[in-house]
Amino acid sequence: GQQVMQIPQYQHVQEGEDFTTYCNSSTTLSNIQWYKQRPGGHPVFLIQLVKSGEVKKQKRLTFQFGEAKKNSSLHITATQTTDVGTYFCAGGYQKVTFGTGTKLQVIP
Amino acid sequence: DSGVTQTPKHLITATGQRVTLRCSPRSGDLSVYWYQQSLDQGLQFLIQYYNGEERAKGNILERFSAQQFPDLHSELNLSSLELGDSALYFCASSDRSGVGTGELFFGEGSRLTVL
């Protein structure tokens, strides 16, 4: 079945440093979504990418969808303590499979 | 507030028992998804319903079952509980059937502890 892996599993950064998480799917995806889960919270939708090579920005967050639609990345510029949480990518048709997640810790 | 309601928020029970988790989707959403999240783990897809019909199934154990009712609320039934079933169970809803899957709105989860 479809597998979605993310690297790194954990990332500790100093506040103000940049952060990137990478998402790789074993199969081609029709779209990719990104979610953020704060500690003790539930996943919250960030964005959806649909087109091959698509790039979207939300303030300090930049999302990319690979040309082959099998990988994606999320880049955060100048991290803040409010960015702490686990970031998941997700994809799939009906069976929405979540990636393994990257847990981000920001050191003030 | 996502608009998705899950009950109960916490549940403690013993091995061998059976529990039912309930989910009310956002008003107007026809799709309901169930996920299991073990401690510090990812989200494991269990099952998806659309307008009362099962549309997709993940690695859901035979001891687990679910259904979506005509009023669109959904229930996840877990039976013959084992220690390893202890986890956070999330319900999510969407206004799509899966074609160009839309945003999933998650409830706050039901934390199940099996002793």
Side-chain angles (χ1 to χ4, degrees):
Chain A
Q2 179 185 59
Q3 293 187 351
V4 183
M5 303 297 292
Q6 283 182 252
I7 55 170
Q9 189 175 2
Y10 300 96
Q11 184 81 58
H12 291 77
V13 298
Q14 205 74 35
E15 188 173 18
E17 291 182 339
D18 292 357
F19 159 77
T20 304
T21 173
Y22 299 91
C23 172
N24 292 287
S25 170
S26 59
T27 60
T28 302
L29 300 169
S30 58
N31 61 65
I32 191 90
Q33 297 179 342
W34 284 91
Y35 291 80
K36 176 183 178 182
Q37 184 177 22
R38 292 180 187 276
H42 58 275
V44 175
F45 176 83
L46 294 176
I47 207 161
Q48 176 168 281
L49 305 172
V50 178
K51 299 177 184 175
S52 168
E54 189 171 10
V55 178
K56 285 189 177 180
K57 292 190 176 185
Q58 286 180 350
K59 297 183 180 178
R60 295 179 295 103
L61 277 60
T62 301
F63 304 84
Q64 282 191 300
F65 199 9
E67 294 289 342
K69 301 185 78 173
K70 293 182 72 174
N71 58 75
S72 181
S73 65
L74 158 59
H75 179 82
I76 302 178
T77 303
T79 54
Q80 299 175 358
T81 54
T82 53
D83 295 325
V84 165
T86 302
Y87 292 84
F88 292 98
C89 61
Y93 172 79
Q94 292 180 336
K95 180 181 176 181
V96 182
T97 300
F98 276 70
T100 46
T102 296
K103 190 171 184 178
L104 173 64
Q105 295 274 27
V106 179
I107 305 163
Chain B
D1 182 9
S2 67
V4 178
T5 304
Q6 288 189 248
T7 56
K9 285 186 170 30
H10 300 277
L11 190 56
I12 301 174
T13 189
T15 54
Q17 295 298 304
R18 172 190 169 95
V19 299
T20 297
L21 309 180
R22 182 187 168 102
C23 169
S24 293
R26 285 190 327 154
S27 177
D29 282 0
L30 300 179
S31 280
V32 169
Y33 301 75
W34 285 98
Y35 288 87
Q36 179 192 55
Q37 186 174 44
S38 301
L39 190 63
D40 282 341
Q41 297 295 309
L43 292 148
Q44 300 300 317
F45 173 80
L46 295 177
I47 200 162
Q48 184 227 349
Y49 283 86
Y50 176 78
N51 202 21
E53 292 186 7
E54 181 186 307
R55 283 294 178 94
K57 213 169 190 176
N59 293 327
I60 187 168
L61 299 171
E62 284 191 11
R63 300 183 287 108
F64 295 2
S65 65
Q67 55 182 325
Q68 186 179 28
F69 294 87
D71 67 352
L72 300 178
H73 91 272
S74 178
E75 293 181 356
L76 179 66
N77 300 297
L78 315 175
S79 62
S80 302
L81 286 168
E82 302 175 358
L83 296 177
D85 298 328
S86 295
L88 193 51
Y89 291 85
F90 283 110
C91 167
S93 74
S94 166
D95 64 358
R96 310 280 182 88
S97 68
V99 176
T101 304
E103 172 181 353
L104 298 187
F105 294 87
F106 281 81
E108 294 187 0
S110 292
R111 183 169 295 283
L112 172 66
T113 302
V114 182
L115 301 176

